[in-house]
Amino acid sequence: MPSNIERCYQCGQCTSVCPMGEQEQTYKIRKFLQMEKLGIENEESIMTPFIFYCTTCYRCQDNCPQGVNIVDGVLEIRANAVHEGKMLDAHRKVAQMLMDYGHAVPNNTAGREKRLQLGLAEMPSTAQGSDEHLDEIRTLLHLTGFDKLIADEIPDMKVNESLTLTQAGFDQPIAEETA
């Protein structure tokens, strides 16, 4: 394992400097690492949403007296979880937007209007405005197996100009699921 987590002796330095740990008392990065080190796969280690909350700021790693590559360990745990079909719904939706539009946040009516006001073309020259480029992105995502990671969880999506990302603090339309 590239994270060399076998060197961890559970001192707690990583957890004590973790910004996520400051926000959520049950988030203990050393616990995730220990479970991974011991090969324990259970609901707590794989399905918890907290493993996806790591910002990869490297504060844990910078403070580790054993030089454990903690962030590599977290990323490996995340990758394993995703390959087992376990990820946050928000991540799955963003991934589906990428599949559908070539962008995590596609251009919408407000964005197109703003571009026109600024004297720009209504659509930027990106994948969303080009069927050929979008097909290339979809092909790459298919060849890497990315599409299979998200395919069964989210139905086809279309842009609905009336929905907003108010929960995330954005004020722009997002995609809506279709039946």
Coordinates of all heavy atoms in Angstrom, one line a residue, residues 93-156:
K93 N -24.3 12.5 -8.4 CA -25.0 13.4 -9.3 C -24.1 14.3 -10.1 O -24.3 14.5 -11.3 CB -26.0 14.3 -8.4 CG -27.2 13.5 -7.9 CD -28.0 14.4 -7.0 CE -29.2 13.5 -6.5 NZ -30.1 14.3 -5.6
V94 N -23.0 14.7 -9.5 CA -22.0 15.5 -10.2 C -21.4 14.6 -11.3 O -21.2 15.1 -12.5 CB -20.9 16.1 -9.3 CG1 -19.7 16.6 -10.1 CG2 -21.5 17.1 -8.4
A95 N -21.1 13.4 -11.0 CA -20.6 12.5 -12.0 C -21.6 12.3 -13.2 O -21.2 12.2 -14.3 CB -20.2 11.1 -11.4
Q96 N -22.8 12.2 -12.9 CA -23.8 12.0 -13.9 C -23.9 13.3 -14.8 O -24.1 13.2 -16.0 CB -25.2 11.7 -13.3 CG -26.2 11.4 -14.4 CD -25.9 10.1 -15.1 OE1 -25.6 9.1 -14.5 NE2 -26.0 10.2 -16.4
M97 N -23.7 14.5 -14.2 CA -23.7 15.7 -15.0 C -22.6 15.7 -15.9 O -22.7 16.1 -17.1 CB -23.6 16.9 -14.0 CG -24.8 17.1 -13.1 SD -26.2 17.7 -13.9 CE -25.9 19.4 -13.8
L98 N -21.4 15.2 -15.5 CA -20.3 15.1 -16.3 C -20.6 14.2 -17.5 O -20.2 14.5 -18.7 CB -19.1 14.5 -15.5 CG -17.7 14.5 -16.3 CD1 -17.3 15.8 -16.7 CD2 -16.7 13.9 -15.3
M99 N -21.2 13.0 -17.3 CA -21.6 12.1 -18.3 C -22.6 12.8 -19.3 O -22.5 12.6 -20.5 CB -22.3 10.9 -17.7 CG -21.3 9.9 -17.1 SD -20.2 9.1 -18.2 CE -21.3 8.2 -19.2
D100 N -23.6 13.5 -18.8 CA -24.6 14.0 -19.6 C -24.2 15.3 -20.4 O -24.7 15.5 -21.5 CB -25.9 14.4 -18.8 CG -26.6 13.1 -18.2 OD1 -26.3 12.0 -18.8 OD2 -27.4 13.2 -17.3
Y101 N -23.4 16.1 -19.8 CA -23.1 17.4 -20.4 C -21.6 17.7 -20.6 O -21.3 18.7 -21.2 CB -23.7 18.6 -19.5 CG -25.1 18.4 -19.3 CD1 -25.6 18.0 -18.0 CD2 -26.0 18.6 -20.3 CE1 -27.0 17.8 -17.8 CE2 -27.4 18.5 -20.1 CZ -27.9 18.1 -18.9 OH -29.2 17.9 -18.7
G102 N -20.7 16.8 -20.1 CA -19.3 17.1 -20.2 C -18.8 18.1 -19.2 O -17.6 18.5 -19.2
H103 N -19.6 18.5 -18.3 CA -19.3 19.4 -17.2 C -20.0 19.1 -15.9 O -21.1 18.6 -15.9 CB -19.8 20.9 -17.6 CG -19.1 21.4 -18.8 ND1 -17.9 22.1 -18.7 CD2 -19.5 21.4 -20.1 CE1 -17.6 22.5 -20.0 NE2 -18.6 22.1 -20.8
A104 N -19.3 19.3 -14.8 CA -20.0 19.1 -13.5 C -21.0 20.1 -13.2 O -22.0 19.9 -12.6 CB -18.9 19.1 -12.4
V105 N -20.9 21.3 -13.8 CA -21.9 22.4 -13.7 C -22.1 22.9 -15.1 O -21.4 23.8 -15.6 CB -21.4 23.5 -12.7 CG1 -22.5 24.6 -12.7 CG2 -21.1 23.0 -11.4
P106 N -23.1 22.4 -15.8 CA -23.4 22.8 -17.2 C -23.9 24.3 -17.3 O -24.4 24.8 -16.3 CB -24.4 21.8 -17.7 CG -25.1 21.3 -16.5 CD -24.1 21.4 -15.3
N107 N -23.6 24.8 -18.4 CA -24.1 26.2 -18.7 C -25.7 26.2 -18.7 O -26.3 25.2 -19.2 CB -23.6 26.7 -20.0 CG -23.7 28.2 -20.2 OD1 -24.1 28.9 -19.3 ND2 -23.3 28.7 -21.4
N108 N -26.3 27.2 -18.1 CA -27.7 27.2 -18.0 C -28.2 28.6 -18.6 O -27.4 29.4 -19.1 CB -28.2 27.1 -16.6 CG -27.5 28.1 -15.7 OD1 -27.3 29.2 -16.1 ND2 -27.1 27.7 -14.5
T109 N -29.5 28.8 -18.5 CA -30.1 30.0 -19.1 C -29.4 31.3 -18.5 O -29.1 32.2 -19.2 CB -31.6 30.1 -18.9 OG1 -32.2 28.9 -19.5 CG2 -32.2 31.3 -19.4
A110 N -29.3 31.3 -17.2 CA -28.7 32.5 -16.6 C -27.2 32.7 -17.0 O -26.8 33.8 -17.3 CB -28.7 32.3 -15.0
G111 N -26.5 31.6 -17.1 CA -25.1 31.7 -17.6 C -25.0 32.1 -19.1 O -24.2 33.0 -19.4
R112 N -25.9 31.6 -19.9 CA -25.9 32.1 -21.3 C -26.3 33.5 -21.4 O -25.7 34.3 -22.2 CB -26.9 31.2 -22.1 CG -26.4 29.8 -22.3 CD -27.2 28.9 -23.2 NE -28.6 28.7 -22.7 CZ -28.9 27.6 -22.0 NH1 -28.0 26.7 -21.6 NH2 -30.1 27.4 -21.6
E113 N -27.3 34.0 -20.6 CA -27.7 35.4 -20.6 C -26.5 36.3 -20.2 O -26.2 37.3 -20.8 CB -28.9 35.6 -19.8 CG -30.2 35.1 -20.4 CD -31.3 35.1 -19.4 OE1 -31.2 35.7 -18.3 OE2 -32.4 34.6 -19.8
K114 N -25.8 35.9 -19.1 CA -24.7 36.7 -18.6 C -23.6 36.7 -19.7 O -23.0 37.8 -19.9 CB -24.2 36.0 -17.3 CG -23.0 36.8 -16.7 CD -23.4 38.2 -16.3 CE -24.0 38.1 -14.9 NZ -24.3 39.4 -14.4
R115 N -23.3 35.6 -20.4 CA -22.3 35.6 -21.4 C -22.6 36.6 -22.5 O -21.8 37.3 -23.0 CB -22.1 34.2 -22.0 CG -21.4 33.2 -21.0 CD -21.2 31.9 -21.6 NE -20.4 31.9 -22.8 CZ -19.1 31.9 -22.8 NH1 -18.4 32.0 -21.6 NH2 -18.4 32.0 -23.9
L116 N -23.9 36.6 -22.9 CA -24.3 37.5 -24.0 C -24.2 39.0 -23.5 O -23.8 39.9 -24.3 CB -25.8 37.2 -24.4 CG -26.0 36.0 -25.2 CD1 -27.5 35.7 -25.4 CD2 -25.3 36.0 -26.5
Q117 N -24.5 39.3 -22.3 CA -24.4 40.6 -21.7 C -22.9 41.1 -21.7 O -22.6 42.2 -21.9 CB -24.9 40.7 -20.3 CG -26.4 40.6 -20.1 CD -26.8 40.5 -18.7 OE1 -26.0 40.5 -17.8 NE2 -28.1 40.4 -18.5
L118 N -22.0 40.1 -21.5 CA -20.6 40.4 -21.5 C -20.0 40.5 -22.9 O -18.8 40.7 -23.1 CB -19.8 39.4 -20.7 CG -20.2 39.4 -19.2 CD1 -19.5 38.2 -18.5 CD2 -19.6 40.7 -18.6
G119 N -20.8 40.2 -24.0 CA -20.3 40.3 -25.3 C -19.7 39.0 -25.8 O -19.0 38.9 -26.8
L120 N -19.9 37.9 -25.0 CA -19.3 36.6 -25.3 C -20.4 35.8 -26.1 O -21.6 36.1 -26.1 CB -18.9 35.9 -24.1 CG -17.9 36.6 -23.2 CD1 -17.8 35.8 -21.8 CD2 -16.6 36.6 -23.9
A121 N -19.9 34.7 -26.7 CA -20.8 33.8 -27.4 C -21.7 33.2 -26.3 O -21.3 33.0 -25.1 CB -20.0 32.7 -28.1
E122 N -22.9 32.8 -26.7 CA -23.9 32.3 -25.7 C -23.4 31.0 -25.0 O -23.5 30.8 -23.8 CB -25.2 32.0 -26.4 CG -26.3 31.5 -25.5 CD -27.6 31.3 -26.2 OE1 -27.6 31.0 -27.4 OE2 -28.7 31.4 -25.6
M123 N -22.7 30.2 -25.8 CA -22.2 28.9 -25.2 C -20.7 29.0 -25.4 O -20.2 29.3 -26.5 CB -22.7 27.7 -26.0 CG -24.2 27.4 -25.7 SD -24.4 26.8 -24.0 CE -23.7 25.2 -24.1
P124 N -19.9 28.7 -24.4 CA -18.5 28.6 -24.6 C -18.1 27.4 -25.5 O -18.9 26.5 -25.6 CB -17.9 28.4 -23.1 CG -19.1 27.8 -22.4 CD -20.3 28.3 -23.0
S125 N -16.9 27.4 -26.0 CA -16.5 26.3 -26.9 C -16.0 25.2 -26.1 O -14.8 24.9 -26.0 CB -15.4 26.8 -27.9 OG -14.3 27.3 -27.2
T126 N -16.9 24.5 -25.4 CA -16.6 23.4 -24.5 C -17.5 22.2 -24.9 O -18.2 22.3 -25.9 CB -16.9 23.7 -23.0 OG1 -18.3 24.0 -22.9 CG2 -16.1 24.9 -22.5
A127 N -17.3 21.1 -24.2 CA -18.0 19.9 -24.5 C -19.5 20.1 -24.6 O -20.2 19.5 -25.4 CB -17.6 18.8 -23.6
Q128 N -20.1 20.9 -23.7 CA -21.5 21.1 -23.7 C -22.1 21.6 -25.0 O -23.2 21.3 -25.4 CB -22.0 22.0 -22.5 CG -23.5 22.0 -22.4 CD -23.9 22.9 -21.2 OE1 -23.1 23.4 -20.5 NE2 -25.2 23.0 -21.1
G129 N -21.3 22.4 -25.7 CA -21.7 23.0 -26.9 C -21.3 22.2 -28.1 O -21.5 22.7 -29.3
S130 N -20.7 21.1 -28.0 CA -20.2 20.3 -29.1 C -20.5 18.8 -28.9 O -20.0 18.2 -28.0 CB -18.7 20.5 -29.2 OG -18.1 19.5 -30.1
D131 N -21.4 18.3 -29.8 CA -21.7 16.9 -29.7 C -20.5 16.0 -29.9 O -20.4 15.0 -29.2 CB -22.8 16.6 -30.7 CG -24.2 17.1 -30.4 OD1 -24.4 17.4 -29.2 OD2 -25.0 17.3 -31.3
E132 N -19.6 16.4 -30.8 CA -18.4 15.7 -31.0 C -17.5 15.6 -29.8 O -17.1 14.5 -29.4 CB -17.6 16.3 -32.2 CG -16.3 15.6 -32.5 CD -15.5 16.3 -33.6 OE1 -16.0 17.2 -34.3 OE2 -14.3 15.9 -33.8
H133 N -17.3 16.7 -29.1 CA -16.5 16.7 -27.9 C -17.2 15.9 -26.8 O -16.5 15.2 -26.0 CB -16.1 18.1 -27.5 CG -15.2 18.8 -28.4 ND1 -15.4 20.1 -28.7 CD2 -14.2 18.4 -29.2 CE1 -14.4 20.5 -29.6 NE2 -13.7 19.4 -29.9
L134 N -18.5 16.1 -26.7 CA -19.2 15.4 -25.6 C -19.1 13.9 -25.9 O -18.9 13.1 -24.9 CB -20.6 15.8 -25.6 CG -21.5 15.2 -24.5 CD1 -20.9 15.4 -23.1 CD2 -22.9 15.8 -24.5
D135 N -19.2 13.5 -27.1 CA -19.0 12.0 -27.4 C -17.7 11.5 -27.0 O -17.5 10.4 -26.6 CB -19.3 11.8 -28.9 CG -20.8 11.8 -29.3 OD1 -21.6 11.8 -28.4 OD2 -21.1 12.0 -30.5
E136 N -16.6 12.3 -27.3 CA -15.3 12.0 -26.9 C -15.1 11.8 -25.4 O -14.5 10.8 -24.9 CB -14.3 13.0 -27.4 CG -14.1 13.0 -28.9 CD -13.2 14.1 -29.4 OE1 -12.7 14.9 -28.6 OE2 -13.0 14.2 -30.6
I137 N -15.7 12.7 -24.6 CA -15.7 12.6 -23.2 C -16.4 11.3 -22.7 O -15.9 10.6 -21.9 CB -16.3 13.9 -22.5 CG1 -15.4 15.0 -22.7 CG2 -16.6 13.6 -21.0 CD1 -15.9 16.4 -22.3
R138 N -17.6 11.1 -23.3 CA -18.4 9.9 -22.9 C -17.6 8.6 -23.2 O -17.6 7.7 -22.5 CB -19.7 9.9 -23.6 CG -20.7 10.9 -23.0 CD -22.0 10.9 -23.7 NE -22.9 11.9 -23.1 CZ -23.9 12.5 -23.7 NH1 -24.1 12.2 -25.0 NH2 -24.7 13.3 -23.1
T139 N -16.9 8.6 -24.4 CA -16.1 7.5 -24.7 C -15.0 7.2 -23.7 O -14.8 6.1 -23.3 CB -15.5 7.7 -26.2 OG1 -16.6 7.8 -27.1 CG2 -14.6 6.5 -26.5
L140 N -14.3 8.3 -23.3 CA -13.2 8.2 -22.3 C -13.8 7.7 -21.0 O -13.2 6.8 -20.4 CB -12.5 9.5 -22.1 CG -11.6 10.0 -23.2 CD1 -11.1 11.4 -23.0 CD2 -10.4 9.0 -23.4
L141 N -14.9 8.2 -20.6 CA -15.5 7.8 -19.3 C -16.0 6.3 -19.4 O -15.9 5.6 -18.4 CB -16.7 8.7 -19.0 CG -16.3 10.2 -18.7 CD1 -17.5 11.1 -18.4 CD2 -15.3 10.3 -17.5
H142 N -16.4 5.9 -20.6 CA -16.8 4.5 -20.7 C -15.6 3.6 -20.7 O -15.6 2.6 -20.1 CB -17.6 4.3 -22.0 CG -17.9 2.9 -22.3 ND1 -18.8 2.2 -21.6 CD2 -17.4 2.1 -23.3 CE1 -18.9 1.0 -22.1 NE2 -18.0 0.9 -23.1
L143 N -14.5 4.0 -21.4 CA -13.3 3.2 -21.5 C -12.7 3.0 -20.1 O -12.0 2.0 -19.9 CB -12.3 3.8 -22.5 CG -12.7 3.7 -24.0 CD1 -11.8 4.4 -24.8 CD2 -12.8 2.2 -24.4
T144 N -12.8 4.0 -19.3 CA -12.2 3.9 -17.9 C -13.1 3.2 -16.9 O -12.7 2.9 -15.8 CB -11.9 5.3 -17.4 OG1 -13.1 6.1 -17.3 CG2 -10.9 6.0 -18.2
G145 N -14.4 2.9 -17.4 CA -15.3 2.3 -16.5 C -16.1 3.2 -15.5 O -16.8 2.8 -14.7
F146 N -15.8 4.5 -15.7 CA -16.4 5.5 -14.9 C -18.0 5.5 -15.0 O -18.7 5.6 -14.0 CB -15.9 6.9 -15.3 CG -16.5 8.1 -14.5 CD1 -15.9 8.4 -13.3 CD2 -17.5 8.8 -15.0 CE1 -16.4 9.5 -12.6 CE2 -18.0 9.9 -14.2 CZ -17.4 10.2 -13.0
D147 N -18.4 5.3 -16.2 CA -19.9 5.2 -16.4 C -20.6 4.1 -15.6 O -21.7 4.2 -15.1 CB -20.2 5.1 -17.9 CG -19.6 3.9 -18.6 OD1 -18.7 3.3 -18.1 OD2 -20.1 3.6 -19.7
K148 N -19.9 3.0 -15.5 CA -20.4 1.9 -14.7 C -20.5 2.1 -13.2 O -21.3 1.6 -12.5 CB -19.6 0.6 -15.0 CG -19.9 0.1 -16.4 CD -19.1 -1.2 -16.7 CE -19.3 -1.8 -18.0 NZ -19.4 -0.9 -19.2
L149 N -19.6 3.0 -12.7 CA -19.6 3.3 -11.3 C -20.9 4.1 -10.9 O -21.3 4.0 -9.8 CB -18.4 4.1 -10.9 CG -17.0 3.4 -11.0 CD1 -15.9 4.4 -10.7 CD2 -17.0 2.3 -10.0
I150 N -21.4 4.8 -11.9 CA -22.6 5.7 -11.5 C -23.8 5.3 -12.2 O -24.9 5.7 -11.9 CB -22.3 7.1 -11.9 CG1 -22.0 7.3 -13.4 CG2 -21.1 7.6 -11.0 CD1 -22.0 8.7 -13.8
A151 N -23.8 4.4 -13.2 CA -24.9 4.1 -14.1 C -26.2 3.6 -13.4 O -27.3 4.1 -13.8 CB -24.5 3.1 -15.2
D152 N -26.1 2.7 -12.5 CA -27.3 2.1 -11.9 C -28.0 3.0 -10.9 O -29.1 2.7 -10.5 CB -27.0 0.8 -11.3 CG -26.5 -0.2 -12.4 OD1 -26.9 -0.1 -13.6 OD2 -25.7 -1.1 -12.0
E153 N -27.4 4.0 -10.4 CA -27.9 4.8 -9.3 C -28.7 6.0 -9.7 O -29.6 6.4 -9.0 CB -26.8 5.2 -8.4 CG -26.0 4.1 -7.8 CD -26.8 3.2 -6.9 OE1 -27.7 3.7 -6.2 OE2 -26.6 2.0 -6.9
I154 N -28.4 6.6 -10.9 CA -29.0 7.8 -11.2 C -29.6 7.7 -12.6 O -29.0 7.3 -13.6 CB -28.0 9.0 -11.3 CG1 -27.4 9.1 -10.0 CG2 -28.7 10.3 -11.8 CD1 -27.6 10.3 -9.2
P155 N -30.9 8.0 -12.8 CA -31.5 7.9 -14.1 C -31.0 9.0 -15.0 O -30.3 9.9 -14.6 CB -33.0 8.1 -13.9 CG -33.1 8.7 -12.6 CD -31.9 8.4 -11.8
D156 N -31.3 8.9 -16.3 CA -30.9 10.0 -17.3 C -31.4 11.3 -16.7 O -32.4 11.4 -16.1 CB -31.5 9.8 -18.6 CG -30.9 8.6 -19.4 OD1 -29.8 8.2 -19.0 OD2 -31.6 8.0 -20.2

